[in-house]
Amino acid sequence: MILLAVLFLCFISSYSASVKGHTTGLSLNNDRLYKLTYSTEVFLDRGKGKQEDSVGYRISSNVDVILLWRNPDGDDDQLIQITMKDVNVENVNEQRGEKSIFKGKNPPKIIRKENLEALQRPVLLHLVHGKVKEFYSYPNEPVAIENLKRGLASLFQMQLSSGTTNEVDISGDCKVTYQAHQDKVTKIKALDSCKIERSGFTTSNQVLGVTSKATSVTTYKIEDSFVIAVFAEETHAFRMNFLQTIAGNIVSKQKLELKTTEAGPRLIPGKQVAAVIKAVDSEYRALPIVGQNFQSECKGCPSLAEHWQSTRKHLQPDNLSKAEAVRSFLAFIQHLRTARREEILQILKAESKEVLPQLVDAVTSAQTSDSLDAILDFLDFKSDSSVILQERFLYACGFASHPDEELLRALISKFKGSFGSNDIRETVMIIAGALVRKLCQNEGCKLKAVVEAKKLILGGLERAEKKEDTMMYLLSLKNALLPEGIPLLLKYAEAGEGPISHLATTTLQRYDVRFITDEVKKTLNRIYHQNRKVHEKTVRTTAATIILNNNPSYMEVKNILLSIGELPKEMNKYMLAVVQDILRFEMPASKMVRRVLKEMVTHNYDRFSKSGSSSAYTGYIERAPHSASTYSLDILYSGSGILRRSNLNIFQYIGKANLHSSQVVIEAQGLEALIAATPDEGEENLDSYAGMSAILFDVQLRPVTFFNGYSDLMSKMLSASGDPVSVVKGLILLIDHSQELQLQSGLKANMDVQGGIAIDISGAMEFSLWYRESKTRVKNRVALAIVGSITVDSSFVKAGLEISAETEAGLEFVSTVQFSQYPFLVCMQMDKDGVPFRQFETKYERLSTGRGYVSRRRKESLIAGSEFPLHQENSDMCKVVFAPEPESSSGGWF
């Protein structure tokens, strides 16, 4: 029988009235000194479980434990002293050999003499029924060192019987479950339940989000009712949802084993633990057992201005198409997050106009109080001389990964002031809608600023007198997607004039299916079938699309199918293409459509043989078991062959979550007079207009106008250069996840994932009377970089793993129409260039004294370009197109 033991588990009868409801924990014998060995180790890898591929370190020591005091009124109330001795630090990867950062260094040099002395000072632990009531240590010790002692002390907290309870230890106030067996007790800690103050944030959209998982299991090994060893293992893992090669894993282990016991000091007499502690050492202070936060000192680190000087060359306009620009952008954001307002403002004021827009992107994306104060002080919204900077600031606000109430309050305040540019005023309101939606998604709908913004949007829409104001509030609502705004949207959709009616219906199109009720669909049916007034084709087709995409009834589908053949020529063809696309792509409405098509009255040659050039097509850009990326393109022409609307959408899906990555809509109207053609029904009095609207990463941007009015059209036709108009250009912080973790060993860990994108979306519309042709072009150019990192810090040694990926890509869509005859010839082409895809892995271990180990790996591949079908009737006739396109394009005349 083992006579030497560390901790004695008192046996308590479950039938004893005197201990009813009490759970016994660890108990030490009187007058004994317990000699133990202790080690805590941590290693980081990519989740493959191979220790030889990991980085990390091990801290080991001998431990002396003695019982100082036991309450004479109850054996389960005791004060113990824990002392670490002979501390050592070493690699966990034994293959490091000569490259070990610890080679040739003794503990005082690694840990530093003052830290080592603090680590080896004893701590006191007051246990009642096996649970920590108080933790005592010396004041003013380094927080990181105290945390290591807290991690060891927390192992002494346990209970003998099975059950679930809450415990407070170094991890915080956590839910724990005990499973008692004959030879062991297992404690499972639910780390996601732990209440502890730690900084962190994440992106609300799951497509751009990070999945993390944490586990903690501690096993108390028992022989003949004595605990002889404690083994604890804690893991934290993360992976990016849409790019699962960005992943990392932290494994932290603790081991405490009994070696021997010997005669120890006698118990200190007394009834009050406070008097006993004072007798031991009056310097002891009660401190929280919960781990405390700390920041490692950075000696000789560059200032923010110095960081900026090394970053700015990568953010020159000519370099923005490179992934290196995005990497520099992400790195500089991290420095901005620790900077003061004055430092940031100084850099903003000193920068040149070429790089200033990119600096504004970075400062706004930092999302700290100091960065917000600095940028608001810098920008003058009453001036029209810095419109580009104001717009970049506002769009960066709209794309904010974790906006707070302070940001929304600032925009509301600006909106109530004066502006040098009306475009900026409109953009402020549009972006306020995006912030309302993001805050509501994070359970912030009841915040004062959100409530005020809602009233501003809905009240403004209800009371708007100018067409421009109505459009502005509708665009804001298109971002906010407030359920209480649906009645107003229905009112404007059915009774509003053309552009307002169209914007109201496209806003309804963005709402989730649960909000498209039968009442909503009644209004949409009236719009499509023109029961009360004549509507433009764009409004009617959008209404029909909403109906078909939101659980349509049998009669709704039948009535839409019966209308085909009675519509204007191109609208006939468009609606037919929409129905065929639903069937081909197996959309949710396909089952109902097939059911209705069983009737001969809806499914016949006359109805399905309508000619025209309008189209609707949906396809996959990429498809994987856990994710998919889709594109859809629908084009609606007027009866005279002039483009009415072109709508290109890209969606990303991860499980049930989706992200509207981009939408580019080019619209034109009132151009029939140029070719002496007859306008379609309901469009006889439309002004000449062409413009472009975009949604980017679920945020509606302010639309761009190519021309408005006949005189504006003629002047731009005569002076047209063919250059595209930029819809959005800049650097966007797309992915932003940060977790600060308190490991139960006492070490501090961080998990961070940042992803950024440099984007340029532009579009152009060319119109030639001489050649009787029109051409629309939409071009997307992006550079993307994603960086994931995990670090574990003890203040004297740090280990880290960084995994990153980057690429540069382009996607171009061109639509050309010859309308010299009917049916007119249409060529649609879309292609994705071949793109490089680079992956990097960096592992390191570094002492606070500067010595370090670094390992780097790189992998590069080329993803071939792709050709995407854009129509159900593609042919090879695009080869005769009068304006040749690249050979890699796909498309067809039809």
Side-chain angles (χ1 to χ4, degrees):
M1 210 60 67
I2 297 178
L3 300 176
L4 303 176
V6 53
L7 305 164
F8 177 68
L9 294 172
C10 297
F11 177 78
I12 300 296
S13 170
S14 60
Y15 300 100
S16 171
S18 64
V19 294
K20 185 177 181 181
H22 134 159
T23 309
T24 302
L26 299 175
S27 180
L28 275 67
N29 287 333
N30 300 350
D31 309 333
R32 303 302 297 174
L33 167 63
Y34 297 88
K35 296 281 189 178
L36 305 97
T37 60
Y38 173 69
S39 68
T40 178
E41 63 183 35
V42 62
F43 57 89
L44 317 177
D45 62 17
R46 299 183 67 176
K48 297 178 181 178
K50 295 181 180 180
Q51 193 160 323
E52 61 270 20
D53 292 335
S54 67
V55 288
Y57 47 89
R58 180 185 297 113
I59 302 171
S60 59
S61 74
N62 293 319
V63 176
D64 289 353
V65 179
I66 58 175
L67 177 65
L68 294 177
W69 170 84
R70 192 190 302 277
N71 192 331
D73 296 331
D75 287 348
D76 279 343
D77 187 354
Q78 51 196 334
L79 181 70
I80 65 174
Q81 183 185 77
I82 305 169
T83 308
M84 297 178 72
K85 294 183 175 181
D86 308 319
V87 178
N88 190 32
V89 188
E90 57 190 335
N91 281 109
V92 292
N93 190 335
E94 297 177 359
Q95 298 180 351
R96 193 78 73 236
E98 294 295 322
K99 295 181 179 180
S100 172
I101 62 173
F102 306 111
K103 186 174 179 62
K105 288 185 175 289
N106 57 25
K109 286 187 177 180
I110 296 171
I111 303 175
R112 294 181 183 174
K113 184 180 178 181
E114 61 276 17
N115 286 344
L116 185 58
E117 289 175 354
L119 187 58
Q120 295 184 151
R121 290 192 197 108
V123 296
L124 307 182
L125 199 61
H126 185 192
L127 295 173
V128 178
H129 301 316
K131 303 302 173 75
V132 175
K133 184 173 183 181
E134 210 69 75
F135 171 79
Y136 296 91
S137 186
Y138 291 95
N140 302 320
E141 288 187 340
V143 174
I145 299 301
E146 280 186 342
N147 281 349
L148 290 174
K149 295 194 280 189
R150 287 182 172 100
L152 169 60
S154 293
L155 293 178
F156 288 78
Q157 180 166 239
M158 64 91 67
Q159 69 183 43
L160 174 62
S161 60
S162 298
T164 299
T165 185
N166 270 62
E167 285 184 355
V168 178
D169 64 7
I170 187 168
S171 304
D173 188 347
C174 309
K175 180 181 177 181
V176 295
T177 300
Y178 284 92
Q179 298 171 351
H181 306 277
Q182 185 176 1
D183 59 347
K184 66 179 179 179
V185 172
T186 302
K187 177 165 71 173
I188 301 170
K189 187 188 300 181
L191 291 174
D192 58 351
S193 72
C194 293
K195 297 174 183 176
I196 185 171
E197 289 188 14
R198 287 294 182 270
S199 62
F201 46 79
T202 192
T203 307
S204 58
N205 189 289
Q206 282 301 301
V207 174
L208 300 175
V210 173
T211 297
S212 59
K213 183 180 180 182
T215 62
S216 171
V217 178
T218 303
T219 302
Y220 296 83
K221 189 177 179 182
I222 300 172
E223 285 189 10
D224 295 328
S225 300
F226 289 89
V227 172
I228 61 169
V230 184
F231 304 99
E233 181 168 328
E234 177 181 10
T235 63
H236 294 266
F238 83 90
R239 62 174 173 79
M240 269 209 64
N241 290 337
F242 85 89
L243 185 62
Q244 297 194 0
T245 56
I246 304 293
N249 198 47
I250 301 173
V251 179
S252 174
K253 296 181 180 180
Q254 291 172 277
K255 182 165 66 174
L256 182 66
E257 292 182 293
L258 172 71
K259 291 303 177 186
T260 186
T261 68
E262 57 188 55
R266 296 184 64 82
L267 291 180
I268 301 174
K271 288 192 173 184
Q272 299 298 324
V273 70
V276 173
I277 292 168
K278 189 173 182 180
V280 174
D281 192 335
S282 60
E283 294 296 316
Y284 275 117
R285 295 290 181 271
L287 300 174
I289 187 72
V290 177
Q292 302 299 295
N293 202 3
F294 72 92
Q295 297 294 331
S296 293
E297 292 183 20
C298 188
K299 294 183 179 179
C301 287
S303 66
L304 183 68
E306 290 170 325
H307 279 301
W308 175 241
Q309 286 307 310
S310 63
T311 299
R312 67 184 304 278
K313 62 185 177 183
H314 299 296
L315 300 186
Q316 295 287 342
D318 293 342
N319 294 331
L320 292 182
S321 61
K322 300 175 183 177
E324 183 60 35
V326 186
R327 280 183 171 274
S328 300
F329 168 71
L330 295 176
F332 190 61
I333 286 173
Q334 299 304 315
H335 298 304
L336 284 165
R337 284 178 170 168
T338 58
R340 300 189 311 274
R341 169 189 167 278
E342 293 76 16
E343 295 177 281
I344 300 170
L345 193 56
Q346 185 178 359
I347 294 174
L348 285 165
K349 289 179 177 179
E351 192 47 68
S352 65
K353 64 179 182 180
E354 290 80 12
V355 184
L356 199 48
Q358 289 75 258
L359 179 56
V360 169
D361 290 338
V363 171
T364 311
S365 298
Q367 301 174 71
T368 66
S369 295
D370 283 278
S371 65
L372 179 60
D373 289 344
I375 195 68
L376 290 175
D377 284 352
F378 177 70
L379 296 174
D380 182 7
F381 285 84
K382 296 178 182 178
S383 170
D384 62 357
S385 61
S386 59
V387 168
I388 292 176
L389 299 180
Q390 295 169 35
E391 188 174 64
R392 293 284 278 262
F393 160 71
L394 291 169
Y395 283 155
C397 291
F399 297 127
S401 55
H402 52 281
D404 58 12
E405 187 181 15
E406 183 184 3
L407 177 58
L408 180 58
R409 193 183 297 115
L411 292 192
I412 293 172
S413 175
K414 289 296 178 186
F415 183 77
K416 293 177 179 178
S418 56
F419 291 86
S421 166
N422 192 59
D423 287 349
I424 294 300
R425 175 179 177 270
E426 292 176 1
T427 307
V428 169
M429 178 48 60
I430 293 167
I431 296 305
L435 294 181
V436 167
R437 186 185 181 200
K438 289 187 177 185
L439 289 167
C440 283
Q441 287 174 336
N442 289 327
E443 300 180 354
C445 257
K446 295 182 180 179
L447 295 172
K448 288 183 179 179
V450 175
V451 172
E452 184 180 356
K454 285 182 180 182
K455 291 179 180 177
L456 200 59
I457 295 168
L458 298 175
L461 183 57
E462 198 164 12
R463 295 186 297 269
E465 296 179 358
K466 297 179 182 178
K467 173 185 172 183
E468 293 78 11
D469 284 347
T470 303
M471 299 286 278
M472 175 184 69
Y473 288 115
L474 283 172
L475 287 165
S476 184
L477 187 54
K478 194 172 182 179
N479 273 329
L481 298 180
L482 302 174
E484 53 267 45
I486 290 178
L488 277 172
L489 290 175
L490 294 175
K491 167 190 163 185
Y492 282 109
E494 189 168 22
E497 58 180 279
I500 290 176
S501 177
H502 183 225
L503 180 53
T505 51
T506 57
T507 301
L508 282 167
Q509 196 172 16
R510 295 200 68 202
Y511 278 82
D512 190 77
V513 60
R514 67 183 185 276
F515 297 113
I516 308 301
T517 62
D518 289 342
E519 287 300 314
V520 173
K521 286 195 281 186
K522 281 180 182 178
T523 303
L524 295 171
N525 275 294
R526 288 198 301 268
I527 292 171
Y528 176 72
H529 296 291
Q530 303 189 120
N531 296 135
R532 293 184 178 176
K533 62 174 285 189
V534 174
H535 294 276
E536 296 177 25
K537 291 194 298 294
T538 53
V539 179
R540 296 180 67 191
T541 53
T542 303
T545 302
I546 298 172
I547 294 167
L548 292 171
N549 288 340
N550 291 276
N551 300 325
S553 67
Y554 185 90
M555 287 308 299
E556 284 170 342
V557 174
K558 183 175 181 179
N559 287 334
I560 288 173
L561 288 173
L562 289 174
S563 71
I564 299 175
E566 309 299 326
L567 307 170
K569 280 186 178 180
E570 285 300 321
M571 189 173 168
N572 271 327
K573 180 64 177 175
Y574 178 84
M575 288 307 303
L576 184 59
V578 167
V579 172
Q580 291 171 331
D581 193 42
I582 289 171
L583 296 172
R584 183 191 56 78
F585 201 70
E586 294 290 340
M587 295 181 188
S590 59
K591 291 182 179 179
M592 183 61 74
V593 173
R594 284 193 170 90
R595 183 180 161 197
V596 174
L597 287 176
K598 291 179 181 179
E599 294 189 34
M600 287 295 295
V601 67
T602 57
H603 192 190
N604 54 62
Y605 177 78
D606 178 63
R607 201 174 305 285
F608 278 78
S609 63
K610 300 302 179 184
S611 62
S613 298
S614 299
S615 68
Y617 191 89
T618 304
Y620 286 104
I621 295 176
E622 189 178 5
R623 196 175 186 183
H626 78 288
S627 64
S629 182
T630 67
Y631 69 94
S632 65
L633 173 69
D634 61 81
I635 296 187
L636 176 64
Y637 293 98
S638 68
S640 56
I642 297 175
L643 176 74
R644 194 66 178 83
R645 182 185 65 208
S646 165
N647 187 354
L648 175 63
N649 289 278
I650 297 176
F651 281 88
Q652 183 76 33
Y653 297 90
I654 301 285
K656 294 182 179 180
N658 70 82
L659 173 70
H660 198 170
S661 301
S662 70
Q663 178 192 71
V664 180
V665 180
I666 294 181
E667 295 181 77
Q669 66 178 37
L671 304 183
E672 285 78 10
L674 295 175
I675 57 173
T678 303
D680 292 338
E681 180 189 12
E683 301 180 357
E684 296 86 356
N685 300 316
L686 296 179
D687 293 332
S688 299
Y689 166 84
M692 181 162 57
S693 174
I695 291 174
L696 188 61
F697 304 118
D698 266 338
V699 178
Q700 170 69 54
L701 309 180
R702 187 178 60 81
V704 174
T705 299
F706 296 148
F707 58 81
N708 192 3
Y710 187 79
S711 59
D712 189 25
L713 165 63
M714 296 309 296
S715 67
K716 289 182 177 175
M717 283 181 63
L718 293 172
S719 61
S721 62
D723 294 335
V725 175
S726 178
V727 180
V728 61
K729 184 176 185 178
L731 290 156
I732 300 171
L733 179 62
L734 197 59
I735 300 156
D736 199 12
H737 176 90
S738 180
Q739 277 182 275
E740 195 172 86
L741 307 170
Q742 177 61 66
L743 301 183
Q744 61 188 30
S745 62
L747 300 172
K748 184 184 83 166
N750 288 81
M751 283 186 175
D752 295 282
V753 184
Q754 273 77 41
I757 189 169
I759 192 162
D760 186 356
I761 298 180
S762 58
M765 182 175 181
E766 302 169 26
F767 192 85
S768 172
L769 290 174
W770 182 264
Y771 292 106
R772 298 180 72 80
E773 71 181 46
S774 67
K775 180 180 288 190
T776 58
R777 186 187 300 269
V778 177
K779 192 170 186 177
N780 293 327
R781 295 295 303 175
V782 298
L784 173 70
I786 301 171
V787 181
S789 68
I790 47 178
T791 60
V792 176
D793 192 359
S794 66
S795 79
F796 51 85
V797 60
K798 187 175 185 178
L801 170 65
E802 180 178 287
I803 315 101
S804 60
E806 64 182 35
T807 188
E808 297 102 11
L811 184 69
E812 186 171 19
F813 161 70
V814 180
S815 171
T816 308
V817 184
Q818 281 187 337
F819 47 85
S820 56
Q821 58 182 344
Y822 191 87
F824 33 85
L825 296 176
V826 179
C827 178
M828 291 190 296
Q829 302 160 285
M830 187 170 78
D831 67 286
K832 182 177 73 173
D833 300 335
V835 297
F837 184 68
R838 298 178 289 271
Q839 299 180 77
F840 306 88
E841 178 186 279
T842 302
K843 298 180 289 188
Y844 65 88
E845 297 160 351
R846 186 168 59 243
L847 293 174
S848 61
T849 55
R851 186 174 179 179
Y853 161 83
V854 180
S855 171
R856 293 184 174 91
R857 290 196 295 182
R858 172 189 174 118
K859 181 181 179 182
E860 186 168 354
S861 58
L862 182 66
I863 301 173
S866 303
E867 300 177 352
F868 302 105
L870 298 176
H871 196 269
Q872 297 155 334
E873 302 166 12
N874 275 344
S875 71
D876 294 328
M877 294 184 66
C878 257
K879 295 176 182 177
V880 300
V881 65
F882 40 85
E885 298 292 339
E887 292 181 4
S888 62
S889 298
S890 66
W893 286 106
F894 37 83

